[in-house]
């Protein structure tokens, strides 16, 4: 399997987590022709990262990819057994992609603005914290977001929360992470599988933010 990704892409990191936890044999490639190139768009019409490729078959959209990986590589399962529990995980994954992650992404254009005005910063940070409060209301981590094993619900937030923390640190701001989610985040990152899978993303992100 070819995994089209870059080290810096946070949605790629979300999928790399699943690839690594499931022990999938994959070859990671930077987008052919470079990021946003015509050449990459010819392969992946959405033009987004990540994408996977098996022969002529190409799939983009991180959650569709993660669902595919879950069906194709059943072990270890990253969806629970019960219908209600599975639906819950899917809800959490969508909540991440549609509400939490875009609130963090709104900071991206501001990263190169060290003099960002306080009111704008508070507004952007407040939106992220509102989404985190909602997330905390949806789950009782034990220790993972949806129970005693890592699921697809954990993958996005395990990348997006540290990303928000690192970006906000540029303005010496800290993120108010609700009780429960703070312990989940610390424990999650101590898991050697998570640490290994996200190391390249962490390094690239730190380089982006300090260069
Ligand atoms: N909904 C997409 C979002 C992916 C996405 O936005 N990826 C970023 C990189 S992390 C990207 O490719 N952006 C396109 C661009 O900047 O042109 C997914 O889940 O895969």
């Amino acid at each position: 399997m070819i995994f089209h990704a870059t080290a810096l892409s946070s949605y790629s990191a979300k999928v790399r987590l699943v690839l690594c936890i499931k022990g999938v044999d994959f070859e990671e490639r930077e987008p052919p022709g470079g990021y946003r190139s015509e050449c990459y768009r010819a392969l992946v019409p959405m033009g987004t990262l990540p994408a996977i490729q098996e022969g002529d078959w190409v799939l983009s959209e991180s959650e569709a990819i993660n669902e595919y990986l879950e069906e194709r590589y059943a072990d270890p399962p990253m969806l629970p057994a019960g219908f209600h529990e599975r639906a819950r995980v899917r809800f959490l994954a969508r909540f991440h992609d549609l509400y939490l992650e875009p609130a963090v992404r709104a900071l991206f254009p501001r990263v190169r603005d060290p003099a960002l005005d306080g009111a704008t910063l508070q507004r952007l940070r407040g939106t992220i914290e509102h989404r985190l409060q909602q997330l905390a209301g949806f789950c009782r981590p034990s220790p993972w977001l949806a129970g005693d094993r890592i699921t697809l619900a954990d993958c996005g937030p395990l990348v997006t929360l540290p990303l928000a923390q690192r970006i906000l640190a540029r303005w010496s701001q800290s993120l108010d992470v609700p009780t429960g989610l703070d312990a989940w985040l610390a424990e999650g990152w101590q898991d050697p599988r998570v640490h290994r899978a996200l190391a390249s993303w962490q390094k690239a992100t730190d380089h982006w933010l300090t260069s």
Side-chain angles (χ1 to χ4, degrees):
M1 177 186 299
I2 299 168
F3 177 44
H4 297 287
T6 61
L8 185 58
S9 156
S10 50
Y11 275 108
S12 300
K14 175 187 147 185
V15 168
R16 196 181 294 107
L17 203 40
V18 177
L19 287 166
C20 290
I21 284 175
K22 289 181 174 287
V24 178
D25 189 16
F26 69 94
E27 180 197 328
E28 186 162 331
R29 284 192 197 163
E30 299 250 330
Y35 193 47
R36 296 179 181 169
S37 67
E38 284 294 314
C39 179
Y40 183 60
R41 277 178 196 279
L43 187 68
V44 179
M46 292 295 292
T48 52
L49 293 167
I52 56 170
Q53 184 178 0
E54 290 176 312
D56 290 342
W57 182 81
V58 174
L59 183 69
S60 63
E61 286 299 312
S62 59
E63 205 52 35
I65 296 171
N66 281 355
E67 288 269 354
Y68 167 76
L69 294 172
E70 174 65 10
E71 291 197 344
R72 182 92 151 71
Y73 303 92
D75 192 40
M78 294 185 74
L79 281 175
F83 290 123
H84 285 176
E85 291 75 18
R86 292 167 84 82
R88 188 87 185 145
V89 165
R90 290 184 169 118
F91 164 78
L92 291 171
R94 281 181 76 82
F95 175 80
H96 169 269
D97 286 5
L98 296 178
Y99 302 98
L100 176 58
E101 199 279 346
V104 175
R105 194 161 283 257
L107 289 169
F108 287 14
R110 314 289 184 156
V111 160
R112 299 283 169 231
D113 184 3
L116 178 64
D117 72 273
T120 304
L121 187 54
Q122 290 318 315
R123 179 177 54 76
L124 293 168
R125 192 182 114 175
T127 308
I128 299 168
E129 289 176 344
H130 166 62
R131 295 305 183 191
L132 287 180
Q133 289 291 345
Q134 288 184 308
L135 181 61
F138 296 142
C139 27
R140 296 279 167 274
S142 58
W144 301 100
L145 288 185
D148 61 0
R149 58 167 63 226
I150 188 166
T151 67
L152 300 185
D154 295 284
C155 297
L158 276 172
V159 178
T160 297
L161 263 72
L163 178 59
Q165 289 172 321
R166 283 174 154 74
I167 297 177
L168 286 169
R170 284 185 70 74
W171 302 284
S172 306
Q173 296 276 316
S174 60
L175 189 65
D176 189 7
V177 180
T179 309
L181 279 187
D182 52 358
W184 159 83
L185 185 59
E187 275 194 55
W189 266 82
Q190 273 169 26
D191 185 300
R193 301 166 302 172
V194 172
H195 215 271
R196 230 180 359 258
L198 296 184
S200 58
W201 169 78
Q202 188 179 30
K203 191 170 165 212
T205 301
D206 287 343
H207 182 261
W208 171 52
L209 291 170
T210 54
S211 61

